Amino acid sequence: MRIIKVDAIDSTNRFLKDLNRVQKLVKPVCVIAHEQLRGKGQMGTVWQSDPGKNLTCSVFMRVDGVLLSDQFYISMVTSLAVFDVLKDFMASKVSVKWPNDILSDRQKICGILIENIVKNGSLVGVIIGIGLNVNQTEFDQLPMAGSLKKILGKNIDVNEVLDILLKKIEKRFSELRAANYQLIKNEYESILFRKDKPSTFEGIEGESFVGIIKGVNPEGKLQLLLEDEVVKTFGLKEIKLLY
C-alpha cells in the first residue's frame, strides 16, 4: 500500500479527499500524520492526540460491488481489522462499542470515521479515518480513554502498529462481498460491547431506559430487546449507550 507521511495537518481524511479529487485514486493509499490538528470523530467530536504518540491516519480503499444500502458492512470489516490488530498485541477484553469505537477493558482505545465516495449513485470507495491510541497515557477530561501503553505497560512502535493495521485492513476488505455478509455480521456481533447484557441507554429526548443489545440489522442500526420483550432498532443519532 502506498503510504504518505506528513508532519502537521488539519485532517488526514480531508487530505485524502483532496488527493482523490485530483488523482482519482484506484489503489489503496494511507496518509499518516505526526500531528493531526483537527482530527474528527463520530458526529463532529474532536479526537484528542499528543503529537507522535498515537496512530492518526486515513486509508483510501476502493470498493466494488457494495450497495449503498450495505455500507455498514464496511464499518464492520474496519472494526474487525482494528480488533485483529489489538488481539495481535495481546490487548485484553477487546470489544466494539456500537457502531465502531474499539474498547479494551472498557477503555476507548480507537475511534473510526468512515466517509463514502459515491459516483453516479454508486459506492466506489471509502476514506477510513483511524485514531488509535498507542503511547499516550494522559487524556484531558477523558476518563474512559485508554491506549496500548496503558494496557501493556510499555512503549509500542507506532510504525509497527501501522504496518499490521494496513495488512489487516487489506485482508478484511478482500473478504468484503455479499457471499460473506452473514459471516461478517456474525463476527462483528460476537464482539459487541455489552451484548446480551442489560444496559442503560439514553434516548433522543434525554430519557434513560434499559435494553439488551441483540445485534445490528443490515443497515447498521442497533437491535435492542426492551422490557416488553419487543426488539426495536435504533440509529446512531437516536440512542446513546451509557457506561
Side-chain angles (χ1 to χ4, degrees):
M1 184 182 297
R2 177 185 169 197
I3 298 175
I4 302 170
K5 295 186 177 183
V6 296
D7 190 12
I9 193 173
D10 280 357
S11 162
T12 52
N13 266 35
R14 186 177 298 115
F15 181 97
L16 262 186
K17 282 193 286 187
D18 292 342
L19 186 67
N20 179 63
R21 196 174 296 116
V22 173
Q23 297 188 7
K24 307 300 181 191
L25 300 173
V26 294
K27 293 184 178 180
V29 177
C30 171
V31 56
I32 177 173
H34 178 78
E35 181 179 8
Q36 190 167 220
L37 303 175
R38 296 180 184 175
K40 294 191 301 179
Q42 288 284 355
M43 301 175 68
T45 58
V46 176
W47 185 259
Q48 189 183 126
S49 179
D50 288 348
K53 290 188 177 180
N54 303 317
L55 178 56
T56 50
C57 68
S58 294
V59 179
F60 166 83
M61 294 295 292
R62 184 172 177 84
V63 176
D64 294 306
V66 178
L67 301 176
L68 274 171
S69 59
D70 292 329
Q71 62 184 280
F72 193 71
Y73 287 96
I74 293 169
S75 182
M76 287 193 243
V77 295
T78 303
S79 296
L80 288 167
V82 176
F83 175 86
D84 294 341
V85 172
L86 296 180
K87 295 307 288 184
D88 274 10
F89 280 95
M90 304 300 290
S92 59
K93 298 180 182 178
V94 182
S95 60
V96 179
K97 182 172 177 282
W98 176 84
N100 51 20
D101 284 343
I102 313 299
L103 310 182
S104 176
D105 276 336
R106 297 175 61 88
Q107 294 186 323
K108 181 174 176 179
I109 193 171
C110 180
I112 298 167
L113 178 65
I114 298 174
E115 299 184 71
N116 294 331
I117 300 171
V118 179
K119 184 177 181 180
N120 299 325
S122 297
L123 188 59
V124 296
V126 290
I127 292 174
I128 305 163
I130 295 175
L132 177 56
N133 295 333
V134 181
N135 293 317
Q136 185 169 339
T137 56
E138 300 293 331
F139 298 88
D140 186 31
Q141 297 182 342
L142 293 173
M144 299 307 295
S147 68
L148 279 172
K149 183 175 181 178
K150 285 182 72 173
I151 296 163
L152 303 176
K154 62 181 180 180
N155 276 318
I156 305 294
D157 186 338
V158 174
N159 287 320
E160 179 185 358
V161 179
L162 175 66
D163 181 59
I164 295 171
L165 173 66
L166 297 183
K167 289 175 181 174
K168 300 295 187 183
I169 288 175
E170 289 193 290
K171 179 180 183 297
R172 287 290 184 175
F173 266 75
S174 72
E175 301 164 353
L176 186 59
R177 47 186 179 273
N180 292 334
Y181 281 177
Q182 190 59 52
L183 290 173
I184 292 168
K185 184 170 176 289
N186 290 347
E187 190 172 0
Y188 171 85
E189 289 177 331
S190 74
I191 58 172
L192 275 176
F193 179 62
R194 302 290 303 172
K195 185 173 185 290
D196 294 326
K197 298 177 181 178
S199 303
T200 304
F201 298 86
E202 183 179 290
I204 198 167
E205 302 294 334
E207 76 283 6
S208 62
F209 62 94
V210 174
I212 298 175
I213 295 174
K214 304 308 293 181
V216 295
N217 69 5
E219 290 76 43
K221 290 187 176 183
L222 192 65
Q223 297 173 319
L224 292 185
L225 177 64
L226 303 179
E227 290 177 331
D228 54 5
E229 296 299 313
V230 172
V231 174
K232 187 175 180 181
T233 59
F234 296 87
L236 179 59
K237 297 180 180 180
E238 299 173 326
I239 194 173
K240 179 181 179 182
L241 172 59
L242 303 177
Y243 277 95

